[in-house]
Amino acid sequence: MAETPGTPNAGAGAGGFVVPSLPSPAPSSTSTARSTSGLPHPRGHSLRPGSAKEDKVRNYVADRLMHISRRFIKKQTGLPGSGDDIVGYKSMGELSKDLEGLLNIIWLSGTPRLQIPYLLNIAGDFNTWITGLPTSPTATFSALRKLDHCFASLLSGKDIETNEPLPGFENGLRAGMSKTDMVRCKSLVEQTRVLVVDVMGQQPDEEDGVEEVEHAWTPDTADEAESGPEGPDDRPKGFLDDEEEGYHMDVARVYEHTLVALGAALGAGVGVGEIQISAD
């Protein structure tokens, strides 16, 4: 029987885990239940250090990260897992679905001391995941937008969409990223921006069951196999359809808000650099 994430409940017995009880704050005139990034509104106050709720969040996140890791490794190795109950991911779309639910819980916790290390670790693992699974552009960019929103907001101490102060930052940015965290974050996001260009230029594997696009996007889609002023499908040379243009824009926007926030925090020389998309 395949392992499925399921919905853990408060009555889980030994060896199980409990969904964190993280009540949402009362709605305000400046907030909505869910941002355009798809993230929920965080709870009103950070979890108390050492509290039962904090332990529940830690256990839940650790369990879900282990679940994602085991499914990814199963895909790479094909080796049977414990009890052979693990089904490997078929595509980045499947992994991203699991990941986005986990990102929602981490953001909902409203606790920077948990959010920052978990998100940095996820960002690092993400660079391994996207190179080891068949591409799923829509799901991949959706997860990256959530990570971008989280990092940029934590670097600023406020939500980048609503400008609401984040829980845990009542006494300023001291609760946020250290300089070491920022340098690590900068390295990870720059690596991701390069990897996304490479990965999105690859043909999807035949086993990728995520029906998101009719054809693979490549950096030189507009120029391939053309002769004369028009391409093989009678489009003007250099023409990009809406789907292709959308992918170009998504690639250019990977971690754009995070890099701007890092530039403000670390000083000159850090910002959104232009991603080179060439046919080479």
Side-chain angles (χ1 to χ4, degrees):
M1 178 178 178
E3 176 180 323
T4 57
T7 303
N9 56 66
F17 56 93
V18 183
V19 169
S21 176
L22 302 175
S24 299
S28 69
S29 59
T30 59
S31 67
T32 57
R34 191 171 292 270
S35 70
T36 57
S37 66
L39 289 164
H41 193 283
R43 69 194 312 270
H45 301 282
S46 295
L47 296 168
R48 183 168 54 84
S51 66
K53 286 185 178 180
E54 184 185 64
D55 288 342
K56 288 178 182 179
V57 174
R58 289 184 184 276
N59 292 337
Y60 180 81
V61 173
D63 183 273
R64 302 315 300 151
L65 285 173
M66 179 62 70
H67 173 80
I68 292 172
S69 177
R70 291 173 69 189
R71 290 194 65 186
F72 176 76
I73 292 173
K74 182 63 178 290
K75 164 65 178 177
Q76 302 305 303
T77 65
L79 297 176
S82 176
D84 199 25
D85 57 350
I86 302 298
V87 176
Y89 288 117
K90 293 182 179 180
S91 70
M92 193 62 195
E94 288 188 351
L95 187 150
S96 294
K97 182 178 179 180
D98 283 348
L99 178 61
E100 289 201 51
L102 179 58
L103 292 175
N104 289 346
I105 291 296
I106 293 173
W107 189 244
L108 184 62
S109 75
T111 307
R113 67 179 175 277
L114 298 181
Q115 294 168 325
I116 292 170
Y118 281 134
L119 291 171
L120 286 172
N121 287 339
I122 288 172
D125 289 340
F126 196 91
N127 290 344
T128 300
W129 296 333
I130 61 173
T131 58
L133 290 171
T135 58
S136 297
T138 301
T140 298
F141 288 129
S142 178
L144 284 171
R145 280 192 293 271
K146 287 192 175 185
L147 283 168
D148 186 30
H149 183 102
C150 291
F151 282 133
S153 297
L154 288 167
L155 283 161
S156 307
K158 60 184 179 181
D159 189 283
I160 60 172
E161 290 183 1
T162 66
N163 285 324
E164 289 182 277
L166 295 178
F169 288 87
E170 293 82 3
N171 297 318
L173 294 176
R174 288 178 296 177
M177 290 190 189
S178 66
K179 291 294 184 183
T180 300
D181 291 332
M182 293 179 193
V183 171
R184 181 185 176 193
C185 184
K186 177 177 179 290
S187 176
L188 289 172
V189 301
E190 288 179 343
Q191 182 183 12
T192 304
R193 285 167 64 85
V194 173
L195 289 173
V196 166
V197 174
D198 294 337
V199 169
M200 293 303 163
Q202 298 173 3
Q203 293 288 338
D205 289 357
E206 293 181 0
E207 62 185 282
D208 184 0
V210 179
E211 298 180 359
E212 294 182 335
V213 293
E214 295 179 356
H215 56 82
W217 173 86
T218 60
D220 54 342
T221 300
D223 299 322
E224 64 184 5
E226 291 181 340
S227 59
E230 294 183 340
D233 55 358
D234 296 328
R235 295 185 301 174
K237 186 174 182 179
F239 175 85
L240 293 177
D241 62 25
D242 290 342
E243 182 180 71
E244 292 162 350
E245 185 175 1
Y247 286 146
H248 275 288
M249 294 297 293
D250 283 333
V251 169
R253 290 170 178 164
V254 169
Y255 282 129
E256 61 174 345
H257 298 298
T258 300
L259 286 173
V260 169
L262 283 168
L266 293 175
V270 181
V272 181
E274 181 177 351
I275 297 180
Q276 298 297 323
I277 302 177
S278 66
D280 296 335

